[in-house]
Amino acid sequence: MSSTNQLPPFDYSHVCLTTSPLIRILELDPYGSAGPAAPLKGCLRLRRFEPPGRTDISWHIPRFEALSYVWGDQSDPEEITVYTSSGPFWSKSKNNFGVLRIGKNLAAALRRLRLKSRKRALWCDSICINQNDLAEREREVQRMAHLYLHVEKVVAWLGPEADDSQLALEKLALTGNQIVSQGWDDGDATWSTTSKSDERYTRPDVEFPFSPREWRAIEKLIDRPWFKRLWVRQEIALASSATVLCGNAEISWPLLRNATICLVQKIPRPQIDRDCLAGYEANLQNLNSLIHSSATMSDTDVIALTRDSLCMDDRDRVYGVLGILAKYNDHTLVSANYRLSIKEVYKDFVVAYSRLYGNLSFLQFCEMATQPSWVPDLQNLKDRPYPLTSYSSDFSIGTLKVLEGDKVLVSGVLCDTIQTSFSPLPLSSSIASVKDSVATVLSEMLSYKTFPTEDILYEKIIGVLLPYELDTIVSMSEVKAFFKSWQKGSSDSEHELSSPEDILRRIHSKMRGRSCHLTAKGSVVLGPAMAQNGDNIYVLPGCDVPLVLRQVEETAYRIIGTCYHPEYADREAFLGKLPTGWKALSGGSVQWYINHEQNIETLHDPRLGPLPRGWKEKKFSDGSLGWISDDYDHTDLINFDPRLEVDALKARGVLFQQITLV
């Protein structure tokens, strides 16, 4: 699009960000008597922005709103006239005005937000950051977290009205008003109903009263690009107040969050055509992960939640979540540097992460990673299996020493070896294919005659596919009948399960891209589809999920992926089996222990002795444990148990190997 008023390109040197306390704010001019279609115009001003820190006495936050939007197609831009002086716009003597070209979606958002008779103070990255200055972009990326954390309000722009979007927002607002959100408990949303709540919206087993047209409108709305944009995770997670606009309609973020909670917990599926249903379920899963961005979570959970997110630059899969990570940990792991390659950015991140926290949990994302195998390909997470849950080294601390040639040295315990592999469930498989896949694996395993009875085989497989669902969501006998019916090619027993669709989804999320394997010790494990006979299973301190490693040199290994091993799911590699009468239970990130004979329920592992001298135990707000040492020069709780440090475990007789990962 050519300039219509022949103004020069805007020169950012008139509002140079020479000192860190300054940011640029766009004061969007009102449209006035010219009407809503008037050309866009605004004043770009420097404002002091000094957010409060942990020890700062003085701080200053100007009043403005931050825009959250999708850049979209930039090939046919529109224009906004920008000036920097408080004097009359027509004065050309100061050379302080010019034209910026912006995407059509941003232009539509600014027209929607523009007021009739007064200015509106906004921050939007495309205008308030000089996109042609790489050094400035890198500096401002570091400050975005503070900006969205302290801004008066975040305004999310989904785009112009289309596909019954107003109808969709009306139905979502109606749904969101049925419950009262009470926050988060260990990553799960907690809520309650009111005396005016309609059970058609709040009961999991009752269908929503939506027509096919209303369902399609909701599906189209949550399919919009804004919901999939990676930077949105940070912008929404940090916002103290947010509203969502689509055309002339709007909904508050708390109402949209409440509506999502209601939608996710529904068992009956929407009555819409198959293609629309598939899109709806995928988009709802993405929306659910977006609302969870506001929950307190581990750093690896933050990374995992971005697997389906989109970004223009894959380096932003680290840079785009630094603000969320800093919100909970008060540390800046890495600084934005767009001169580095994608793999270099990821490598710097995992090295900094391991050194700061003694945590190697990022290795769970190294499934099928390119060289070096210990650096996850975050840009490909969408095409990898979902992470597995295990407590194999819970609360332990790991070390990672960087060697020359993109190699690292770690400690680990050799637990088992892959001996036989069975047919995988392909990554591209649908939920419906789970039955056939399980039936195939059962038939293959039965032909080996490894187990004395069929029932034992069923229990072994169920134990790795639904380890944390047994006795909490479903019983062994129910699932066993379910599996037997699949092997016979019928669904006669599905009515015995309270929610067969839910069980299928759970199995699909774990099996997708993985295989069942028999090990040298006679266990059934769930592991990478690419695992081969002879691959070793190691448990590493600091990495809760066992790793399948393939030897490529005498002491060098390549990560193949993660696995669930039922004999090493609760720190058995370090502490041995639980004493007789004890059982471990889990809920989210919290694990506890029960002894029915002694009527004991505790968070304390009965295999561990007293804490070392100078250490104290406290609880985090979610009920999990933390520890603090008199020798530390700070008062923060740490989330590793000093009794599970490598030296302490060696003193217990644990045999560690030094492993080089390549």
Side-chain angles (χ1 to χ4, degrees):
M1 175 178 176
S2 62
S3 177
T4 57
N5 52 18
Q6 302 302 312
L7 292 175
F10 179 72
D11 184 357
Y12 278 93
S13 65
H14 295 292
V15 278
C16 187
L17 298 179
T18 54
T19 56
S20 59
L22 297 176
I23 62 171
R24 301 185 186 100
I25 298 295
L26 174 67
E27 294 181 351
L28 189 61
D29 284 2
Y31 58 79
S33 59
L40 292 169
K41 184 172 64 176
C43 180
L44 202 57
R45 295 185 183 277
L46 292 176
R47 288 288 182 259
R48 185 163 64 94
F49 180 79
E50 295 182 277
R54 301 186 74 177
T55 58
D56 292 342
I57 299 176
S58 62
W59 53 275
H60 179 79
I61 305 293
R63 296 191 64 179
F64 65 98
E65 298 166 292
L67 184 58
S68 174
Y69 68 104
V70 174
W71 276 46
D73 185 10
Q74 303 290 303
S75 62
D76 185 21
E78 297 193 27
E79 292 182 347
I80 178 171
T81 301
V82 179
Y83 59 100
T84 61
S85 172
S86 59
F89 173 71
W90 46 262
S91 173
K92 299 183 179 181
S93 60
K94 296 182 180 180
N95 192 32
N96 56 0
F97 57 91
V99 169
L100 285 178
R101 293 189 172 187
I102 59 176
K104 288 187 176 298
N105 191 49
L106 175 55
L110 294 178
R111 290 194 181 94
R112 168 65 173 83
L113 292 170
R114 185 169 51 175
L115 303 175
K116 181 180 180 179
S117 57
R118 59 185 176 87
K119 292 177 178 287
R120 189 166 188 171
L122 300 169
W123 187 93
C124 53
D125 58 353
S126 180
I127 295 174
C128 297
I129 298 176
N130 182 358
Q131 299 299 321
N132 295 319
D133 186 335
L134 182 61
E136 180 180 310
R137 282 171 50 201
E138 292 172 347
R139 290 196 307 270
E140 294 308 294
V141 161
Q142 298 293 132
R143 296 205 296 168
M144 279 190 187
H146 289 295
L147 192 146
Y148 280 94
L149 184 62
H150 297 289
V151 69
E152 186 175 6
K153 178 189 286 188
V154 172
V155 179
W157 171 249
L158 304 187
E161 182 176 349
D163 301 314
D164 276 336
S165 55
Q166 182 167 338
L167 174 65
L169 287 181
E170 289 173 357
K171 293 303 174 182
L172 290 172
L174 176 62
T175 304
N177 274 313
Q178 303 298 318
I179 66 171
V180 177
S181 177
Q182 297 174 330
W184 302 94
D185 180 12
D186 195 26
D188 294 323
T190 58
W191 52 275
S192 62
T193 57
T194 69
S195 58
K196 297 181 180 180
S197 297
D198 186 334
E199 67 177 15
R200 295 177 299 171
Y201 297 88
T202 59
R203 277 186 52 177
D205 58 336
V206 178
E207 287 189 19
F208 273 110
F210 294 157
S211 68
R213 177 191 171 190
E214 291 164 342
W215 276 121
R216 283 192 293 271
I218 292 173
E219 191 277 324
K220 288 290 186 183
L221 182 84
I222 63 176
D223 188 42
R224 290 190 176 226
W226 181 85
F227 291 102
K228 302 170 186 177
R229 178 174 171 260
L230 187 141
W231 282 97
V232 162
R233 308 275 167 167
Q234 175 171 278
E235 294 161 3
I236 286 296
L238 301 180
S240 59
S241 174
T243 189
V244 179
L245 308 182
C246 187
N248 292 322
E250 65 181 87
I251 185 174
S252 71
W253 179 252
L255 271 188
L256 182 57
R257 180 191 60 216
N258 288 356
T260 304
I261 293 169
C262 292
L263 290 169
V264 168
Q265 55 112 26
K266 280 289 183 179
I267 296 172
R269 306 169 87 182
Q271 299 302 308
I272 47 180
D273 64 79
R274 181 176 297 180
D275 290 341
C276 187
L277 179 62
Y280 166 79
E281 291 183 335
N283 291 325
L284 180 60
Q285 182 182 13
N286 177 66
L287 178 56
N288 187 41
S289 72
L290 177 57
I291 70 167
H292 276 75
S293 300
S294 302
T296 302
M297 61 186 74
S298 69
D299 293 353
T300 48
D301 286 340
V302 172
I303 298 296
L305 287 177
T306 68
R307 61 178 293 132
D308 296 316
S309 299
L310 303 177
C311 56
M312 297 174 63
D313 190 322
D314 280 319
R315 285 166 287 206
D316 288 337
R317 297 195 177 276
V318 168
Y319 301 150
V321 297
L322 288 178
I324 304 178
L325 301 178
K327 176 181 179 182
Y328 303 122
N329 299 303
D330 231 12
H331 293 289
T332 300
L333 288 169
V334 293
S335 297
N337 184 348
Y338 289 97
R339 298 168 181 82
L340 298 176
S341 69
I342 294 171
K343 195 76 171 183
E344 286 174 326
V345 170
Y346 298 167
K347 183 173 71 173
D348 286 352
F349 171 75
V350 298
V351 170
Y353 182 82
S354 66
R355 286 175 174 169
L356 184 60
Y357 301 119
N359 191 319
L360 307 184
S361 55
F362 60 83
L363 294 175
Q364 67 182 286
F365 299 116
C366 292
E367 200 99 15
M368 301 160 56
T370 57
Q371 293 287 93
S373 69
W374 54 273
V375 178
D377 295 325
L378 299 180
Q379 75 275 29
N380 296 326
L381 288 186
K382 187 176 182 179
D383 301 319
R384 302 291 186 264
Y386 288 103
L388 291 169
T389 299
S390 184
Y391 299 88
S392 301
S393 63
D394 203 24
F395 294 129
S396 65
I397 182 169
T399 58
L400 182 145
K401 181 181 180 181
V402 179
L403 307 176
E404 293 183 359
D406 278 342
K407 299 178 181 180
V408 292
L409 188 68
V410 296
S411 297
V413 176
L414 175 60
C415 297
D416 212 337
T417 302
I418 301 290
Q419 194 169 69
T420 307
S421 300
F422 299 96
S423 297
L425 181 65
L427 277 167
S428 59
S429 66
S430 65
I431 292 177
S433 64
V434 168
K435 297 180 184 180
D436 289 339
S437 183
V438 170
T440 298
V441 172
L442 288 168
S443 297
E444 291 174 352
M445 284 193 170
L446 285 169
S447 68
Y448 272 77
K449 303 184 184 302
T450 304
F451 301 101
T453 66
E454 287 189 16
D455 270 5
I456 292 177
L457 172 59
Y458 283 116
E459 290 171 5
K460 292 279 189 180
I461 295 179
I462 293 168
V464 299
L465 296 181
L466 298 167
Y468 302 111
E469 290 83 359
L470 289 174
D471 300 327
T472 55
I473 295 176
V474 68
S475 70
M476 176 67 79
S477 60
E478 286 178 315
V479 184
K480 196 182 294 184
F482 206 6
F483 278 23
K484 287 181 178 180
S485 72
W486 292 353
Q487 195 180 7
K488 295 175 182 177
S490 69
S491 301
D492 295 339
S493 67
E494 290 190 18
H495 68 279
E496 298 177 13
L497 282 169
S498 58
S499 178
E501 289 293 330
D502 179 53
I503 296 300
L504 282 171
R505 281 193 289 268
R506 289 173 182 271
I507 296 175
H508 179 261
S509 69
K510 296 171 185 176
M511 270 193 90
R512 176 179 166 269
R514 294 191 173 96
S515 300
C516 285
H517 308 273
L518 284 176
T519 71
K521 293 185 177 180
S523 295
V524 176
V525 302
L526 184 65
M530 294 179 64
Q532 299 174 358
N533 298 352
D535 288 344
N536 292 322
I537 300 173
Y538 278 87
V539 171
L540 275 57
C543 182
D544 283 345
V545 187
L547 296 177
V548 176
L549 304 182
R550 181 171 301 159
Q551 191 168 2
V552 292
E553 299 172 19
E554 185 175 350
T555 59
Y557 292 80
R558 174 176 171 78
I559 296 176
I560 305 302
T562 58
C563 83
Y564 178 82
H565 196 309
E567 305 302 321
Y568 296 96
D570 181 37
R571 300 188 289 201
E572 289 89 351
F574 303 152
L575 305 178
K577 293 186 178 296
L578 283 167
T580 302
W582 285 91
K583 183 178 181 181
L585 296 176
S586 64
S589 62
V590 179
Q591 191 165 29
W592 65 97
Y593 302 87
I594 60 171
N595 188 315
H596 291 300
E597 295 178 3
Q598 301 179 29
N599 196 28
I600 297 175
E601 182 172 325
T602 178
L603 291 172
H604 301 101
D605 192 321
R607 295 167 294 186
L608 289 171
L611 286 167
R613 179 175 297 183
W615 283 88
K616 298 177 183 177
E617 179 184 273
K618 294 186 178 181
K619 283 187 179 181
F620 288 107
S621 58
D622 64 358
S624 62
L625 297 177
W627 294 268
I628 188 168
S629 170
D630 293 341
D631 295 333
Y632 275 51
D633 58 359
H634 57 72
T635 58
D636 291 342
L637 292 174
I638 55 175
N639 61 353
F640 71 84
D641 190 324
R643 294 165 294 186
L644 295 173
E645 291 186 274
V646 170
D647 287 344
L649 292 172
K650 285 181 178 178
R652 292 178 64 107
V654 179
L655 299 177
F656 285 100
Q657 295 181 14
Q658 292 293 296
I659 305 164
T660 301
L661 298 178
V662 298

